[in-house]
Each structure stands twice: as C-alpha cells, then as structure tokens.
Amino acid sequence: MSVLVTGGAGYIGSHTAVELLNAGKDIVIIDDFSNSKPEVLENIKKITGKDFKFYEMDYADREKLEKVFEENNIDSVMNFAGFKAVGESTKKPIEYYINNVSGALVLFDTMRKYNVKKFVFSSSATVYGPENPIPYKEDMPVGTASSPYGSTKIFIEQILKDIYKADNEWSVALLRYFNPIGSHESGLLGEEPQGIPNNLMPYIVRVACGQLKELSVFGGDYDTPDGTCIRDYLHVVDLAKGHIKALDKLNEGNGVYIYNLGTGVGYSVLDVVNTFMKATGKDVPYRITERRAGDLPAFYADATKAEKELGWKAEKSLEDMCRDSWHYIEVSRKNG
Ligand code: UDP
C-alpha cells in the first residue's frame, strides 16, 4: 500500500515525503518541477536511505494520473501540488483556480474511480479570514478569503465536506497550516522561491546572504506590542510530522477531520528578525515600510485539538526554525 504524494519535490511535500518514509510508509511521488528541482528527490533518498517511485507529470493530467493509480497500490493521497503565492494569485486568478481547484477535482474524481478515499488536504489558516477572533479554533466558521489563493483553500475544504456527505466511506483531513518556515536539519531540503521572495523567512535569508539589500518590514504601526504583525511560525519538519499523525487518524475511521497545525504562539516580524540574527550571527538590515495590503495584524492557532486528538505538538523553537532556514542556504552554497 502506498501514499501518493503530489508535489512531493516541493517545500512542504519533500519534508512530508521524508517523514512518511521514516514512518515506514511506501510512497509514490508525482511532480512537474514547476516550482521545484529534480535534485530534491535524490536528497529525500539520501536523508532516508529509502527509495520510491516517481512520475514527472502535472497532477491534473487525468490520463497520466489514472496510469499512476493503475500501476501502484495507492490507498491514500496527500496533495502538495497547489500554487501558493498569495500576491500572484490576485494577478492570475484563473491559473490558481484551474491548478488548485480543477486539479483537485481531477484528483478526487480519479481517486473515486480507483476506490481510494483517504485524503489529506493542505489547507491554510487563511480560511479563518478577518472575521474570527484569535486564537483561531477549528470550530469557528470559515471567513472571507483575502485572495484567490485563500478562496481555493475555502472551496476545496467545502468540496471535500460535500464529497464526504455524499459518500461517507471517504476519510478526509483538512490541515490548516499556519506559517511554516525552517528546513530539514540535514540542510538538504528547504524553501527556494523563484525570483524575489514574497514570504518573510525566504526574504530574510536572501538579505542575510547579501543577495538583497534590506528587508522591508511591512507596517510598524499595528496594534501589537512592537507594532509589527504577529504570526504563528512553525517548523516545516513539525508540520510534516503532523501529516503522518493525520494519516493515522484517517486509518482509524471515516470522517472529515479538521486540525490547526501551528504552535499556538505568535511572534512578530521583529521577533523573527532578531531571533534570526541571534541564531545565525548574520546581520539582517531592515526598514519599516508601508503596510502590505491584505495583511491581518495578528493571528495564531489554538493548537490544542491536534494535540488532544492526534497526539501532535510542534516541538521546535523559533531559534531552530531560523537556524535551519539558514543552514539550508549554507549547504546549498557548498554543494553549488
Ligand atoms: N513580511 C514583511 N516583509 C516581507 C515579507 C513579509 O514584513 O518582505 C511580514 C508580513 O507582513 C507578515 C509576516 O511577515 O506580517 C508573514 O508574512 P508571510 O508572507 O511570510 O506570510 P503570511 O502570514 O502573509 O501568509
């Protein structure tokens, strides 16, 4: 029995692939390398000492996807092949809806055809929207999305709930990620956005290695202790481990299970910058600039449900996250 991992060469997909292999699961990865590199697959093998089957393809290619299901004994699916750049999604909504929503529908339809009904969905804290008070809890109503990216998460959550309503042999986990940063401790896997990074940690790392001059801290006048936005950053390896626990849950019984994957602790942008400098000894020049449109002042998870029901708790500190993000860059530079 294998777990199909779409987008398994990407940032979160590759870290989850490692944890699945470490947990003794067989996996099949598909990826089209649209936002990742083939070397990642070798690095997953290097870290785990394990092999897996790989298909280079778009996950939404129905014909090829059917072949994957025919050639392998797949019993569950994790989908990391979604587009994830919030800003880009506002400029390319059609591309985002096609890839994230239509692609997911092709995947669900194919799963149904091959009678595979266990699915772990990479959702996001963005589904809570500006309406909900913090900390966010899973039983709060879904809010308003601030971007097409966020809408794709809300839509797919709803689609999965409807699928389960129609056929309760499905077992679905909706994992609402907070802000994953960090890298595998080996330095062999990490986040490598193309072009100028949009997210905080990839930007900090580029400033620290001198590729970018300074970090713009988007807004210093929020109603927070230091005036900068607060987020719930969690280590990507902790996040990856949450997927294994969620999969175990799906194997216990059918249903739709919703979990926040966060630490439950909020840090400001300046907390992250200062912790990064302390953990790495690198300087990160920054300047407070205008607020970024669409940013909420503060949000973090109530992370108690995942702990109670999955036995999952984020273990790594903000310092670990900063150190490992930097270590990945050092190792990548050394390996050319
Ligand atoms: N941020 C920043 N400068 C940057 C990128 C991000 O000040 O160059 C801030 C952003 O305003 C937010 C936090 O860092 O408060 C996290 O942003 P990110 O884009 O990483 O994640 P988001 O929470 O928006 O999904």
Side-chain angles (χ1 to χ4, degrees):
M1 288 295 194
S2 299
V3 183
L4 176 64
V5 182
T6 71
Y11 174 49
I12 296 171
S14 60
H15 284 87
T16 305
V18 164
E19 297 308 321
L20 283 164
L21 291 165
N22 283 345
K25 314 267 184 203
D26 287 324
I27 64 169
V28 174
I29 291 184
I30 66 181
D31 205 298
D32 64 359
F33 299 127
S34 57
N35 193 26
S36 59
K37 290 185 184 152
E39 299 93 87
V40 171
L41 301 175
E42 291 315 308
N43 288 340
I44 295 171
K45 291 177 193 170
K46 226 183 260 178
I47 290 167
T48 60
K50 294 188 178 156
D51 205 358
F52 50 83
K53 220 159 159 190
F54 171 71
Y55 294 82
E56 182 174 349
M57 55 174 272
D58 177 355
Y59 86 112
D61 183 328
R62 189 185 291 264
E63 231 169 83
K64 287 187 184 159
L65 194 59
E66 290 194 355
K67 224 170 141 242
V68 174
F69 278 84
E70 256 153 42
E71 290 176 0
N72 299 281
N73 194 3
I74 290 164
D75 75 335
S76 48
V77 179
M78 295 189 183
N79 179 17
F80 301 98
F83 292 160
K84 60 173 187 178
V86 175
E88 184 185 58
S89 79
T90 62
K91 299 194 179 79
K92 297 181 170 175
I94 295 177
E95 282 80 357
Y96 269 68
Y97 288 122
I98 289 176
N99 184 67
N100 290 13
V101 183
S102 306
L105 284 168
V106 170
L107 182 59
F108 302 153
D109 197 18
T110 309
M111 288 174 66
R112 176 176 61 173
K113 181 167 175 184
Y114 291 90
N115 205 31
V116 176
K117 296 181 175 178
K118 289 194 189 92
F119 185 71
V120 177
F121 178 53
S122 305
S123 192
S124 163
T126 193
V127 304
Y128 290 105
E131 293 87 352
N132 283 300
I134 46 172
Y136 292 153
K137 279 176 88 92
E138 291 87 343
D139 58 5
M140 289 173 173
V142 162
T144 311
S146 59
S147 69
Y149 160 80
S151 297
T152 69
K153 298 296 176 191
I154 291 174
F155 294 165
I156 297 168
E157 284 203 359
Q158 186 60 47
I159 289 167
L160 287 163
K161 287 176 188 163
D162 291 339
I163 290 174
Y164 176 73
K165 239 183 258 164
D167 175 2
N168 53 30
E169 283 180 6
W170 279 75
S171 204
V172 173
L174 310 180
L175 302 183
R176 294 177 176 165
Y177 303 171
F178 281 70
N179 286 60
I181 56 173
S183 300
H184 191 266
E185 62 182 4
S186 62
L188 292 172
L189 301 176
E191 188 172 21
E192 228 170 311
Q194 287 160 0
I196 294 181
N198 297 302
N199 297 111
L200 180 61
M201 184 53 79
Y203 206 105
I204 288 178
V205 162
R206 297 269 179 102
V207 172
C209 66
Q211 283 177 12
L212 292 168
K213 204 171 101 251
E214 65 179 9
L215 171 74
S216 298
V217 173
F218 299 142
D221 57 351
Y222 285 100
D223 185 16
T224 60
D226 67 16
T228 67
C229 289
I230 288 176
R231 295 288 179 272
D232 184 337
Y233 298 92
L234 81 157
H235 198 293
V236 67
V237 171
D238 280 330
L239 179 73
K241 287 179 177 166
H243 290 70
I244 317 307
K245 298 283 192 182
L247 190 60
D248 291 345
K249 185 78 185 174
L250 300 190
N251 287 322
E252 276 171 23
N254 302 340
V256 176
Y257 302 97
I258 307 180
Y259 297 108
N260 288 338
L261 295 184
T263 62
V265 179
Y267 287 105
S268 74
V269 177
L270 293 183
D271 288 335
V272 177
V273 173
N274 290 326
T275 306
F276 183 92
M277 293 199 280
K278 197 166 139 239
T280 65
K282 292 276 148 189
D283 196 25
V284 179
Y286 67 85
R287 197 162 47 94
I288 310 274
T289 62
E290 294 284 280
R291 292 181 177 196
R292 181 171 70 176
D295 272 342
L296 294 177
F299 63 82
Y300 49 91
D302 178 321
T304 51
K305 189 177 177 209
E307 184 173 3
K308 210 164 114 217
E309 293 189 14
L310 300 179
W312 175 87
K313 194 172 186 292
E315 282 163 1
K316 292 179 186 272
S317 67
L318 184 60
E319 212 165 324
D320 296 331
M321 302 175 212
C322 292
R323 193 198 52 236
D324 291 343
S325 289
W326 179 244
H327 184 50
Y328 171 65
I329 298 301
E330 287 186 315
V331 171
S332 306
R333 277 165 150 189
K334 215 166 55 196
N335 295 342

